Amino acid sequence: MKLKETKIECFLALPDIISLLNLSFGFLAILMALNNQITISSIFIIIAVIFDSVDGWIARKLSRIDKYGFGKNIDSLSDIVSFGVAPAVLLYIIGASFSNEIGYLSAVIALFVVICGVLRLTRFNVISDKIDFKGFVGVPIPTTGILLSTFILSRLFNIYLGMFLMVVVGFLMISNIKYKKFYNPQILPIIAILVLLAIIPNSMIFWGINIPATIIFIITLVYVFITPMLNLFKN
């Protein structure tokens, strides 16, 4: 490879811009969490999930040829910020607001989530073009962001359950359990509407509960736990 071929414009494509938007909202979510803007931080993580789900679709539509794996790497690096570090910082900030003891525990769990996220994404980059399975090996890392942020937005959040879920998801990320990709053209518009309603402030609040966020939280829980349970029953 010649030096002139290493210019960033030789690698950067439209899907990578979308990945950088994912990264940007993940970084902003961290800043908002540090400023104790918990709801805004949760919303930014959800927006990051939206961009993360779009970049691959755009790459396929454009029939992108990425022989050096630039897109795969920028996507993974963006994901670790938005769905590893951002949820981890958010969890720690919430935990520290209760007491020093819960703060220390949430810090350990937050670090665990980041480590599992790095391990999961590194393994993905190594095996993605070497296995026949079209789904995910281990639960995908955006699950951490979706679970924690929708749990918070639902207004049903409990710090102990939140920490427990993050520990479980951390282990599932580095597990060898096969998760199918969720793609259904008829259901996706409904999910998209739920996501929009969940992040619009006070859009559908009944009895003090954010209904769209709660529905997404429950759907994500089912997705995360149904596969390991089915595997357990098979064995």
Side-chain angles (χ1 to χ4, degrees):
M1 180 183 290
K2 296 179 181 178
L3 184 60
K4 65 179 181 180
E5 295 175 336
T6 62
K7 293 180 180 179
I8 199 68
E9 56 265 28
C10 296
F11 300 95
L12 199 63
L14 179 60
D16 305 323
I17 303 298
I18 305 299
S19 293
L20 289 175
L21 287 171
N22 162 15
L23 167 68
S24 299
F25 276 96
F27 178 72
L28 291 174
I30 295 170
L31 294 185
M32 292 301 103
L34 293 174
N35 199 34
N36 210 32
Q37 300 291 324
I38 303 303
T39 299
I40 296 176
S41 178
S42 302
I43 290 172
F44 282 175
I45 291 175
I46 294 294
I47 295 174
V49 172
I50 295 171
F51 283 119
D52 180 58
S53 63
V54 169
D55 58 4
W57 178 79
I58 291 178
R60 289 189 294 272
K61 288 296 181 181
L62 295 177
S63 300
R64 180 187 185 184
I65 299 175
D66 187 19
K67 61 179 179 179
Y68 296 115
F70 184 85
K72 179 171 66 176
N73 281 284
I74 198 171
D75 181 59
S76 292
L77 290 169
S78 299
D79 283 356
I80 194 57
V81 173
S82 298
F83 314 124
V85 179
V89 171
L90 183 57
L91 181 69
Y92 166 71
I93 294 296
I94 297 173
S97 69
F98 283 87
S99 68
N100 288 336
E101 291 76 16
I102 296 178
Y104 297 145
L105 180 58
S106 63
V108 172
I109 294 172
L111 177 60
F112 175 72
V113 168
V114 173
I115 291 173
C116 290
V118 170
L119 290 173
R120 193 240 179 271
L121 290 168
T122 305
R123 179 179 63 179
F124 169 77
N125 285 349
V126 171
I127 69 173
S128 60
D129 55 354
K130 296 179 178 63
I131 59 173
D132 295 329
F133 182 63
K134 299 301 181 182
F136 303 104
V137 178
V139 72
I141 190 172
T143 306
T144 61
I146 298 171
L147 264 184
L148 185 62
S149 55
T150 56
F151 194 14
I152 292 168
L153 291 174
S154 71
R155 304 190 179 189
L156 296 171
F157 185 76
N158 176 279
I159 184 60
Y160 299 105
L161 180 56
M163 291 191 294
F164 172 76
L165 288 176
M166 290 299 100
V167 170
V168 173
V169 171
F171 279 115
L172 289 176
M173 279 196 291
I174 59 175
S175 73
N176 209 39
I177 298 172
K178 294 179 180 179
Y179 282 85
K180 293 182 179 180
K181 286 188 177 180
F182 182 78
Y183 181 79
N184 188 316
Q186 281 130 3
I187 297 178
L188 283 177
I190 298 174
I191 299 295
I193 292 171
L194 284 172
V195 169
L196 289 174
L197 291 174
I199 63 178
I200 296 174
N202 302 317
S203 60
M204 290 187 67
I205 307 294
F206 297 102
W207 306 290
I209 300 172
N210 185 325
I211 302 300
T214 303
I215 293 173
I216 297 171
F217 175 66
I218 293 171
I219 291 173
T220 308
L221 279 177
V222 172
Y223 175 75
V224 168
F225 289 106
I226 193 67
T227 299
M229 290 175 64
L230 290 174
N231 287 345
L232 184 63
F233 287 130
K234 285 180 182 177
N235 297 331

